[in-house]
Amino acid sequence: MHHPPTAYAVPFTVDRSGAPRRYDLVNTGPEPLHAISLTHLGSGYCPPLAVNRLDPGRSLSIAVFGADPEQTGIVVVRWRRPDRSEYLWRMSLVGDRLVGLAS
């Protein structure tokens, strides 16, 4: 019998104190994350970002240029856990701090 994996809490917290131009994505999980990539979808411009490794407690800064504060869009975050399993999370750039589940 196949058992689905246990839910996995998204290991990120978003610091929006520099919004709408800067967002910090903090690894609040217990393990290092690998092959992280961020892709912005929405108004304005956000350079694509890729990082090989992000240790617990460390952060990445996302810069968004030329966007209306209420219409900055989303960022798709992709990463791998130490066991090499891949996860995707769609993060809104508007609103309060987010916590969610990855799949």
Side-chain angles (χ1 to χ4, degrees):
M1 179 176 189
H2 175 70
H3 296 284
T6 304
Y8 166 60
V10 171
F12 299 108
T13 299
V14 182
D15 176 356
R16 292 181 171 80
S17 61
R21 292 199 168 88
R22 178 182 163 161
Y23 303 84
D24 292 317
L25 190 65
V26 183
N27 178 359
T28 53
E31 60 193 16
L33 305 173
H34 303 275
I36 301 160
S37 65
L38 300 125
T39 305
H40 176 255
L41 304 170
S43 66
Y45 173 71
C46 176
L49 180 64
V51 174
N52 189 40
R53 179 184 169 116
L54 187 65
D55 289 322
R58 302 295 303 232
S59 65
L60 298 172
S61 292
I62 305 163
V64 180
F65 304 98
D68 180 300
E70 297 302 316
Q71 298 178 354
T72 55
I74 64 166
V75 170
V76 177
V77 183
R78 176 181 170 236
W79 72 95
R80 291 188 182 273
R81 294 180 70 187
D83 69 0
R84 306 308 293 160
S85 57
E86 180 181 39
Y87 291 83
L88 297 170
W89 179 47
R90 194 175 84 175
M91 174 186 89
S92 173
L93 294 180
V94 178
D96 294 331
R97 190 172 99 177
L98 298 177
V99 176
L101 294 178
S103 59

